[in-house]
Amino acid sequence: MAASEKHPFAPETALVTSGRDTVAQKGFINPPTQRGSTVLYPTADDLLHHRSDYQYGRHGTPTTRALQDALRVLEGPQCAGVGLAPSGLSAVSTALLAVLRSGDHLLVCDSIYRPTRSFCDGLLTRYGIETSYFNPLIGERIADLFRPNTRAVMVEAPGSQSFEMADIPAIAAVAHARGALVIDDNTWATPLFHRSLDQGVDISIQAATKYIGGHSDIMFGTISANTRAWPLIAEGIRLLGICAGPDDVFLALRGLRTLAVRLAHHQRSALEMANWLGGHAEVARVLYPALESDPGHAIWKRDFTGASGLFSIVLKPVPQQAVHAFLDELKLFGMGFSWGGFESLVIPFDCSTYRTATTWAPGGPTLRLQIGLEAVDDLKADLDRGFAALKAAI
Ligand SMILES: *Cc1c(COP(=O)(O)O)cnc(C)c1O
């Protein structure tokens, strides 16, 4: 489907129908997990003119094409192409390397995924690219931070630990007026709940390891771009040799088929859990833009069509051993990094040590929760057991 062509179906329907070629798949619903490097050409002339549907494994297979087609529809009419990467972080690093050059200046929101920050401060610095960080709530005042050599702005909304909501359309308007590209890490909402490319973003990134994969069994990343940015992304992917393994491509496509039902369930349960936690004696604050009480709620409501199952809570001040007692008591909430799978997770976090444009001082211990697909009553009972252990440890 060409960029700017309108898809006839609602996103939920498109998730089911797009990226399927019944004839090419010999009647089967799903494409094969195509393993392949070499593609054979029938004649020397065909070989020399690259005359073939597929040229070489790294440049695409029937499996990658099915996933790219489905993602392009999901990203909406502005999407000119989708690149696939072996992890979310490699999608981020590939996009940045594809867009930036030595001597450039990059603006990144202070709430960005921490390994993205490490990439900017580490490798990009070595390549002569300077990054400065901005308050995610800056809005159009980001204009003050632009320099003549500012080539790109990177946002993430909400921040995946602290949940500040950046005003992406306002930031994008300023960036475009100055000729800069806008890159959005859209992992939290997915394109189902936030059409980045419709909101002024040029390059939209997914850690598909999270909700698109949905089962905690793959590492995967995607880079979607509009007509302005796609040539740069396509070139960067080709020059860097970025490609993903066939099993992960297949599983990402399989995850995509059920994304709408899973996200609807994550959202419903997360809202119920967030409201319940907000009324809990041990909880000072819930950080979740889907709540009316959240400072980012108005922007979320304007720009997003849903909320995923990830949010944070600030506990009332208690000693660290009480927080550990809480965490160690939990049975359904696993302790581990990542999120977006079917299972509930919890981690303690502290952004205060690495922020540079803002101060992180929540006033109590902070925990990030991923609400999985379990029954909410079981999840509440699990947390209540934890809170009882917390109180006993004070
Ligand atoms: C997990 C995550 C990434 C990185 O994805 P990986 O697949 O783990 O490399 C990038 N951005 C955000 C917001 C994430 O949560």
Side-chain angles (χ1 to χ4, degrees):
M1 226 173 141
S4 80
E5 205 176 307
K6 194 169 158 34
H7 194 77
F9 297 125
E12 292 81 359
T13 310
L15 280 173
V16 172
T17 57
S18 57
R20 284 169 50 189
D21 183 341
T22 309
V23 175
Q25 289 157 206
K26 304 202 186 306
F28 284 97
I29 302 293
N30 295 296
T33 303
Q34 185 72 55
R35 301 175 189 286
S37 51
T38 302
V39 175
L40 298 177
Y41 296 78
T43 69
D45 198 56
D46 288 334
L47 178 92
L48 290 175
H49 292 95
H50 302 280
R51 214 180 287 122
S52 161
D53 281 352
Y54 298 93
Q55 279 80 44
Y56 184 56
R58 194 173 62 227
H59 301 315
T61 68
T63 325
T64 63
R65 202 169 284 174
L67 176 59
Q68 285 164 318
D69 286 349
L71 284 167
R72 203 156 64 227
V73 173
L74 182 63
E75 295 275 9
Q78 300 302 318
C79 184
V82 181
L84 308 178
S87 70
L89 185 58
S90 79
V92 169
S93 60
T94 299
L96 289 170
L97 286 174
V99 161
L100 298 166
R101 62 181 87 157
S102 175
D104 279 349
H105 174 236
L106 169 69
L107 284 166
V108 176
C109 71
D110 211 20
S111 52
I112 200 82
Y113 179 63
R114 193 180 181 183
T116 295
R117 192 180 192 108
S118 304
F119 176 76
C120 296
D121 296 343
L123 200 119
L124 289 186
T125 302
R126 282 205 270 127
Y127 282 44
I129 296 156
E130 191 184 344
T131 302
S132 35
Y133 295 91
F134 62 87
N135 184 333
L137 306 180
I138 199 167
E140 65 200 16
R141 282 176 293 115
I142 197 169
D144 301 339
L145 304 181
F146 271 75
R147 304 178 191 169
N149 61 337
T150 305
R151 189 173 302 273
V153 180
M154 178 146 190
V155 292
E156 183 182 324
S160 68
Q161 290 191 322
S162 46
F163 293 90
E164 298 96 331
M165 283 299 302
D167 186 339
I168 292 175
I171 290 171
V174 173
H176 290 159
R178 282 156 208 259
L181 288 167
V182 179
I183 307 169
D184 178 25
D185 184 332
N186 194 32
T187 300
W188 180 81
T190 84
L192 191 66
F193 284 167
H194 181 235
R195 284 269 189 95
S196 295
L197 300 175
D198 286 352
Q199 308 239 330
V201 167
D202 299 290
I203 299 165
S204 174
I205 289 172
Q206 284 289 314
T209 304
K210 310 288 167 55
Y211 285 113
I212 289 181
H215 294 73
S216 308
D217 54 4
I218 56 169
M219 302 299 301
F220 205 76
T222 70
I223 313 167
S224 305
N226 59 16
T227 46
R228 186 165 168 234
W230 177 244
L232 287 171
I233 295 298
E235 179 193 51
I237 286 172
R238 186 164 42 79
L239 295 179
L240 288 164
I242 299 297
C243 59
D247 288 313
D248 292 344
V249 175
F250 181 88
L251 289 172
L253 181 60
R254 188 164 81 164
L256 204 58
R257 300 299 183 203
T258 58
L259 181 68
V261 279
R262 285 186 288 106
L263 274 185
H265 192 108
H266 284 295
Q267 168 166 249
R268 200 166 47 243
S269 297
L271 258 177
E272 186 173 340
M273 293 299 290
N275 275 314
W276 176 77
L277 282 161
H280 217 282
E282 272 63 51
V283 177
R285 234 159 14 110
V286 180
L287 313 177
Y288 189 41
L291 294 181
E292 270 175 41
S293 56
D294 191 275
H297 184 70
I299 289 177
W300 172 79
K301 212 168 163 184
R302 186 192 66 191
D303 297 344
F304 290 59
T305 56
S308 64
L310 191 77
F311 64 84
S312 289
I313 57 174
V314 182
L315 297 174
K316 292 186 181 155
V318 285
Q320 195 190 50
Q321 88 257 7
V323 179
H324 285 199
F326 170 85
L327 293 169
D328 291 345
E329 188 65 21
L330 303 177
K331 293 194 167 55
L332 289 177
F333 283 85
M335 269 181 284
F337 298 103
S338 202
W339 41 278
F342 49 78
E343 78 291 7
S344 290
L345 295 169
V346 61
I347 50 163
F349 69 93
D350 178 8
C351 313
S352 64
T353 55
Y354 55 88
R355 295 256 173 142
T356 52
T358 51
T359 306
W360 174 249
T366 41
L367 302 173
R368 188 183 70 184
L369 301 153
Q370 132 97 359
I371 305 302
L373 304 179
E374 306 90 341
V376 283
D377 286 346
D378 290 334
L379 295 177
K380 286 178 186 170
D382 203 38
L383 293 182
D384 266 336
R385 271 194 302 276
F387 284 126
L390 176 143
K391 279 186 271 188
I394 293 174

